[in-house]
Amino acid sequence: MKKILITGGAGFIGSHVVRQFVLTYPDYQIINLDKLTYAGNLENLKDLEDAPNYSFVKGDICDAGFMNDLFLKHSFDGVIHLAAESHVDRSITNPMAFVETNVTGTVTLLNAFRAHCNIGQAIFYHISTDEVYGELSNEGKFTEETPYSPNSPYSASKAASDHFVRAYHETYGLNIKLSNCSNNYGSHHFPEKLIPLMINNILNGKPLPVYGKGENVRDWLYVEDHAKAIDLIYHQGRNGQTYNIGGNNEWKNLDLVKLLCQQMDQKIGNPEGTSIKTISYVTDRAGHDFRYAIDSSKLMNELGWKPSVTFEQGLSKTIDWYLTNKPWLDNVTSGAYQTYYDAMYK
Ligand code: NAD
Ligand code: DAU
C-alpha cells in the first residue's frame, strides 16, 4: 500500500486534493498534515472522516522535530505539499508569516523528506502559483519558461519555495514535480478571497469592495479541475518538471463581480440589479498585479488534461454550495474573521 502525505489538506484546495486521492485510490493510505490555521477547517473533510484509507495529523511543517518523527513513523512514497499562507493581502500586512510557513516550512519538509524517504523513488510534489511570474500587460501568457518576477510578499515567498524544491532536485537528487496554477474557485473557499467574499457580502447585504477600478484581470479555474490536474501530474508528470495549470478563462474583476451579482440575485430571489448597486470601489491593493494568464499547453499536450467545467457551470455550482452550506459560512466568518475584515476594509 502506497503512503502519501498531503500537507495543508484541511484548506481550500488541499481538501479537494485529499478527496480526489482518497476516493480515486482506495489502495493508497492518505495522511493529511495540517496546522489548522484560520484557513484550515476539518469541516471541509467531514465526508471522509471514516474512510479507511484516510487519516489526519495536526502539526506544523516548520516544526523540524515533529516532521522528523512523522517521517520516521511513516515511510512515505510521496508528498504533495500545499500547506502555505495563501492570501496576498495578509502578506502585505504580515510578510514574516509567509517567510516562515512558505519558505522555512517548505525547506523543513524537504529536509525531512531527504532524511527519511527513498531518494530517487519517492516523489516530492510542490503546489505553487502563477503569481511567481509577476504581472502581464494586456498581451501574452505565462509559460513554464517565463522568468520569475514576484511582486508581493506572498508571491516572493512562493517563488523562494519553488527555487528550494528545484535546488534539492539538482543538489540532492530528489524526485520533484512542480505546478503553478491560476486563481481557483469552488466550494470551501475561505471568504477572504474575491469570489467567496462577494458571495458572503451579498448574502449579508454588505457593500462589495472592488479594489481600484476593478480592471485587474485574473484567470479562474474550478478547484476540482485543479485537483484532477494534480492527480495527473503526481502520477504521470516528468521528474524535475514544472507544469502550468490555468482555466483559459480570463475575467476583469469588475465584470466577474457583476456576473456574480446577477447569478446571486436570480438564485436568492432579489429583484434584478439589487446587488450590483452595492458595489463599492475601495483603495487599491499595494503593488496590485494587473493581469495573470496561463498557457497550459504543456500539461494539455503531454498529459491530456483539460478543464471539465465551464465557468458558468462552476460559478453556479459554487454559489449553490454556499447557499446550502450557510452554517459553514457563518462559522468561518465569526470571531477572528470580523477583526480581519474590519481592519482590512474599514
Ligand atoms: P488555504 O489558505 O485555503 O489553505 C492552506 C492550508 O495550509 C490550511 O489548511 C492551513 O491550516 C495550512 N497551513 C498553513 N500553515 C501551515 C503550517 N505551518 N503547517 C501545516 N499546515 C499549514 O490555501 P489554498 O488556497 O487552498 O492554497 C493551497 C496551496 O495552493 C498553497 O500552497 C497556495 O500557494 C497554492 N495555490 C493556491 C491558489 C488559489 O487560487 N487559492 C492558486 C495556485 C496555487
Ligand atoms: O493566481 C493564483 C493566486 O490567486 C493564488 O496563488 C493565491 O493563493 C490566491 O489567493 C489568488 O490570489 P489573488 O490575489 O489573485 O486572489 P484574491 O481572491 O485575493 O483577489 C482576486 C482579485 O480580486 C485581485 O485582483 C484582487 C481583487 N479583489 C480581491 C478582494 C479580496 C478585490 O477587488 N476585492 C477584494 O475584496
Side-chain angles (χ1 to χ4, degrees):
M1 174 173 274
K2 286 203 187 307
K3 272 193 182 179
I4 300 182
L5 175 69
I6 298 183
T7 71
F12 164 49
I13 301 175
S15 61
H16 289 275
V17 174
V18 167
R19 189 167 295 104
Q20 170 74 19
F21 276 73
V22 168
L23 299 181
T24 315
Y25 304 103
D27 52 331
Y28 288 5
Q29 189 62 39
I30 304 299
I31 292 112
N32 169 17
L33 168 90
D34 199 295
K35 186 180 172 185
L36 299 181
T37 66
Y38 77 93
N41 186 350
L42 288 179
E43 286 295 313
N44 297 354
L45 295 158
K46 206 113 195 87
D47 54 320
L48 300 180
E49 256 172 12
D50 298 325
N53 62 335
Y54 169 72
S55 56
F56 173 72
V57 182
K58 185 172 179 200
D60 185 342
I61 55 165
C62 301
D63 182 341
F66 175 84
M67 294 311 296
N68 272 312
D69 289 348
L70 186 75
F71 274 75
L72 265 176
K73 182 171 170 204
H74 302 278
S75 184
F76 293 118
D77 297 284
V79 172
I80 304 177
H81 175 36
L82 295 108
E85 288 294 335
S86 70
H87 192 40
V88 174
D89 292 323
R90 289 185 195 253
S91 82
I92 295 168
T93 38
N94 183 13
M96 200 48 90
F98 287 69
V99 176
E100 278 161 12
T101 289
N102 299 359
V103 186
T104 307
T106 299
V107 178
T108 306
L109 189 61
L110 283 164
N111 285 341
F113 182 95
R114 184 179 161 229
H116 303 293
C117 289
N118 189 349
I119 300 304
Q121 297 264 313
I123 298 166
F124 189 101
Y125 179 4
H126 184 225
I127 307 305
S128 193
T129 172
D130 60 356
E131 300 196 9
V132 297
Y133 298 122
E135 67 173 350
L136 294 164
S137 59
N138 281 315
E139 299 299 315
K141 292 190 172 194
F142 299 132
T143 73
E144 289 80 1
E145 276 71 49
T146 303
Y148 276 30
S149 181
N151 293 316
S152 72
Y154 163 69
S155 53
S157 70
K158 291 297 289 188
S161 60
D162 288 8
H163 289 321
F164 270 104
V165 172
R166 220 170 273 122
Y168 272 57
H169 170 67
E170 293 297 332
T171 310
Y172 307 115
L174 266 53
N175 275 358
I176 62 111
K177 299 171 192 208
L178 271 139
S179 54
N180 296 80
C181 189
S182 62
N183 288 60
N184 284 216
Y185 70 98
S187 71
H188 305 93
H189 203 182
F190 193 80
E192 64 189 350
K193 309 278 167 55
L194 180 72
I195 290 180
L197 184 142
M198 295 297 170
I199 292 175
N200 184 50
N201 283 15
I202 291 171
L203 286 174
N204 290 292
K206 284 161 74 175
L208 308 179
V210 168
Y211 297 166
K213 294 181 181 157
E215 283 173 352
N216 301 63
V217 176
R218 295 293 181 266
D219 168 51
W220 294 93
L221 177 68
Y222 192 55
V223 64
E224 290 176 21
D225 280 324
H226 188 190
K228 285 179 190 150
I230 289 172
D231 181 349
L232 209 52
I233 293 167
Y234 178 81
H235 288 100
Q236 295 176 39
R238 283 181 290 141
N239 180 20
Q241 293 284 312
T242 289
Y243 295 86
N244 280 352
I245 312 173
N248 199 21
N249 175 41
E250 289 179 46
W251 285 82
K252 265 189 193 169
N253 291 337
L254 185 59
D255 293 340
L256 171 48
V257 172
K258 285 181 176 168
L259 175 70
L260 200 54
C261 287
Q262 278 164 13
Q263 287 208 6
M264 285 288 292
D265 283 349
Q266 252 175 28
K267 284 182 192 276
I268 62 181
N270 277 345
E272 211 181 311
T274 305
S275 297
I276 283 183
K277 288 190 206 129
T278 66
I279 289 175
S280 150
Y281 296 93
V282 300
T283 311
D284 208 352
R285 175 184 279 173
H288 197 173
D289 283 337
F290 175 62
R291 173 174 167 258
Y292 306 139
I294 277 269
D295 177 348
S296 322
S297 51
K298 178 175 174 184
L299 175 62
M300 293 172 127
N301 297 336
E302 234 179 69
L303 304 183
W305 175 86
K306 62 174 173 13
S308 63
V309 175
T310 66
F311 191 53
E312 286 66 25
Q313 290 167 336
L315 201 57
S316 172
K317 278 156 77 113
T318 302
I319 296 171
D320 290 346
W321 185 85
Y322 283 95
L323 293 180
T324 47
N325 289 278
K326 273 280 280 150
W328 184 95
L329 203 47
D330 293 342
N331 183 35
V332 301
T333 53
S334 60
Y337 179 83
Q338 285 310 328
T339 315
Y340 164 79
Y341 193 89
D342 291 348
M344 180 71 206
Y345 292 97
K346 279 186 185 154

